[in-house]
Amino acid sequence: MVDTVTLIYGDKQIELPVLRGTEGDPAIDVSQLRARTGMITYDPSLANTGICQSQITFIDGERGILRYRGIPIEQFTAKPNFVEVVWLLIFGRLPNKEELAEFSELLTENELVHEGIKYQFQRIPVDAPPMAILSAIVTSLAFYHQQFLAVEDRESIVQAAARLISKVRTIAAFACRRSQGLPFIYPDPKLRYCANFLHMMFSIPYRQYEITPEVEDALNLLFILHADHEQNCSTSTVRLVGSARANLFASCAAGVCALWGPLHGGANVEVIQMLERIRDGGLSAEDCLRHAKDKDNPFRLYGFGHRVYRNFDPRATILKAACERVFAQMNRNDPLLDIARKLEELALADPYFVERQLYPNVDFYSGILLRAIGIPTNMFTVCFAIGRLPGWIAQWKEQHIDPTSRILRPRQVYAGPPESRYVPIDQR
Ligand code: CMC
């Protein structure tokens, strides 16, 4: 194993150190490159650039491995408990019974939102996209919790994190109710995290929503599978904003905005709309593949492909099995599941997808499970955000308490006009 690599340029050469992660992945440390050579590295989509060292999540894209704090994702699926995973990600190890109970209690204490937020909702257009609402209201948590705009000690981070994790599901449920013209349902302190979200989403003032274990487990599983994914687009956004020492609320609101994009979390909505078009006869599965392969067509096979996974996305494998299980438990069927299976089969036999190593990702089957739970399509990406929040907080915290972290500030290769003269307006 090499400890350094040699960079030869012209008649000079320098040695660059090689770092190794816990699992042995090598990385050339170029942090001194510009100071020593005057050159920078060029990596436009950051596909070859590590921006930090992190102890939170490990992914091996070639082998389809995903681990939270060292624990394989598959091991969280038997009796899924999202709050346990939240604690693990943010605090670095599995909680004991007392720690879990204490943190759950803190979530319960913080489940209400300030009444001012309720009035904010009344000013939002009924048809406003829920992701726009979520980012705006997460930012505005800073109005009401100004004591957490600077958090330096562990206890303040715990308190700020608990407020965000707890209130996000109340905000999400209120956003959904607002879009449906339904009254807000307040959280019920007797209910667990996911059950409480389902209650706020689906109860009505005179009838309590009946929570079944299979639906509660399915939601726990969905949130767990989305809980962290190392330096993806929204998490890197949270780190970028947080590196300026921006507060946790502002940094996570920026993460929500990044997640909204259809190439990222917004893909779960695109997948369902694509499957619905196939079901309704507007598009065939074969058309989908043809459009996706046509470089003049912006259409993509949503829910397929991943920057890191080159074999399979373990989250998609778990979700596909969960869909089959939950539909069997509910004794129900969804034609979209059959269409998704057929589309997957066709794509996996198509040389375009095979050669490019494009496989179903987490968004391919998540929407089908969310539909089974009863979540409306416009709330899918919001559910992704609720799930991803502990990851954003854990990554923000890791960066925030690292004494060596600096403001993130990439360089560029300038490709604009050379120096030119300013021409006064009357001479142009
Ligand atoms: N449909 C058609 N072609 C695709 C797709 C797709 N879904 N994904 C990748 N390609 C093509 C891409 O155009 C490129 O072709 P060529 O080599 O001819 O130029 C080739 O495959 C390699 O692409 P890549 O470098 O692997 O892709 P990337 O890393 O730039 O982008 C991605 C990753 C996830 C944005 C992309 O695969 C995509 O747009 N997928 C559809 C959107 C989606 O499902 N997003 C959710 C991602 S997983 C959860 C999350 O992060 O939110």
Side-chain angles (χ1 to χ4, degrees):
M1 280 207 273
V2 290
D3 293 331
T4 57
V5 293
T6 308
L7 176 71
I8 302 171
Y9 58 110
D11 57 355
K12 298 196 185 105
Q13 72 174 57
I14 58 164
E15 299 288 309
L16 294 169
V18 173
L19 284 181
R20 274 181 201 279
T22 316
E23 298 291 329
D25 334 347
I28 304 169
D29 178 351
V30 293
S31 55
Q32 295 302 312
L33 185 69
R34 188 167 178 278
R36 291 176 66 193
T37 67
M39 289 187 284
I40 60 167
T41 54
Y42 179 61
D43 185 18
S45 60
L46 303 178
N48 304 287
T49 298
I51 60 157
C52 60
Q53 292 190 46
S54 179
Q55 301 179 356
I56 302 169
T57 290
F58 173 72
I59 300 177
D60 181 331
E62 274 70 37
R63 292 192 292 153
I65 291 174
L66 168 61
R67 297 183 198 141
Y68 294 156
R69 302 280 186 186
I71 305 173
I73 189 71
E74 292 77 8
Q75 296 184 17
F76 296 103
T77 58
K79 210 175 171 322
N81 180 345
F82 178 58
V83 175
E84 190 180 51
V85 172
V86 170
W87 210 96
L88 169 74
L89 287 171
I90 299 179
F91 305 114
R93 59 171 172 80
L94 287 168
N96 61 31
K97 275 188 190 154
E98 291 73 38
E99 287 164 335
L100 188 60
E102 206 179 294
F103 189 65
S104 300
E105 187 55 39
L106 200 55
L107 295 181
T108 302
E109 279 168 23
N110 286 293
E111 62 194 6
L112 282 172
V113 289
H114 191 284
E115 281 291 288
I117 287 184
K118 244 180 67 189
Y119 296 117
Q120 253 175 284
F121 269 102
Q122 278 157 18
R123 301 257 175 278
I124 293 172
V126 175
D127 59 352
M131 286 298 273
I133 302 177
L134 190 68
S135 68
I137 306 275
V138 168
T139 307
S140 56
L141 286 176
F143 303 164
Y144 304 106
H145 305 284
Q146 295 190 28
Q147 71 274 36
F148 299 120
L149 297 190
V151 288
E152 298 309 334
D153 57 295
R154 184 187 185 276
E155 188 48 31
S156 308
I157 295 182
V158 174
Q159 293 290 336
R163 274 162 182 76
L164 250 176
I165 296 281
S166 186
K167 290 177 197 305
V168 75
R169 69 198 151 147
T170 313
I171 297 166
F174 281 15
C176 184
R177 309 289 295 203
R178 167 94 182 130
S179 71
Q180 296 172 340
L182 291 170
F184 296 151
I185 299 290
Y186 279 66
D188 179 343
K190 291 190 293 302
L191 295 175
R192 287 182 298 265
Y193 189 89
C194 288
N196 214 347
F197 177 59
L198 292 166
H199 160 66
M200 287 188 277
M201 287 284 290
F202 302 129
S203 286
I204 42 180
Y206 50 87
R207 197 176 57 236
Q208 183 95 356
Y209 170 77
E210 210 175 298
I211 296 151
T212 60
E214 58 268 21
V215 167
E216 194 182 345
D217 283 355
L219 193 59
N220 269 293
L221 179 69
L222 264 159
F223 286 161
I224 289 173
L225 294 177
H226 289 90
D228 193 49
H229 214 234
E230 48 115 308
Q231 308 311 316
N232 59 86
C233 177
S234 56
T235 303
S236 302
T237 303
V238 170
R239 277 191 178 256
L240 193 71
V241 175
S243 78
R245 299 274 140 188
N247 65 74
L248 182 61
F249 306 120
S251 305
C252 290
V256 172
C257 292
L259 188 73
W260 191 1
L263 295 189
H264 192 9
N268 56 15
V269 173
E270 302 288 339
V271 171
I272 288 297
Q273 288 171 346
M274 177 176 78
L275 299 177
E276 283 173 344
R277 279 180 67 196
I278 299 175
R279 180 198 59 195
D280 299 342
L283 189 75
S284 68
E286 290 75 10
D287 288 339
C288 268
L289 297 195
R290 213 179 46 253
H291 294 329
K293 292 188 287 187
D294 178 359
K295 293 292 174 198
D296 296 325
N297 191 334
F299 183 88
R300 296 211 147 196
L301 184 58
Y302 286 99
F304 255 75
H306 198 276
R307 172 63 61 80
V308 180
Y309 292 119
R310 291 292 164 196
N311 187 336
F312 65 95
D313 178 340
R315 302 167 302 172
T317 311
I318 296 169
L319 274 170
K320 187 179 179 187
C323 285
E324 318 266 0
R325 192 175 61 245
V326 170
F327 281 112
Q329 281 165 340
M330 290 176 155
N331 202 14
R332 268 177 47 193
N333 192 13
D334 183 345
L336 297 194
L337 179 57
D338 300 328
I339 296 169
R341 282 198 208 102
K342 178 174 176 209
L343 199 53
E344 178 185 356
E345 205 180 299
L346 285 176
L348 294 182
D350 186 310
Y352 174 96
F353 293 90
V354 174
E355 280 157 19
R356 289 170 178 75
Q357 297 173 297
L358 304 173
Y359 295 89
N361 61 49
V362 69
D363 291 318
F364 197 66
Y365 286 103
S366 64
I368 295 174
L369 198 53
L370 284 163
R371 268 165 65 91
I373 295 172
I375 307 279
T377 308
N378 69 349
M379 289 294 293
F380 286 4
T381 316
V382 171
C383 288
F384 191 150
I386 300 175
R388 183 55 54 88
L389 194 55
W392 291 336
I393 296 172
Q395 303 265 354
W396 184 93
K397 171 175 168 266
E398 185 176 70
Q399 171 181 260
H400 197 74
I401 61 176
D402 174 0
T404 65
S405 92
R406 296 167 72 197
I407 190 163
L408 289 175
R409 202 319 184 170
R411 295 267 179 176
Q412 64 165 11
V413 175
Y414 175 69
E419 184 178 353
S420 52
R421 197 176 65 83
Y422 171 77
V423 181
I425 195 158
D426 55 356
Q427 292 171 28
R428 279 177 231 156

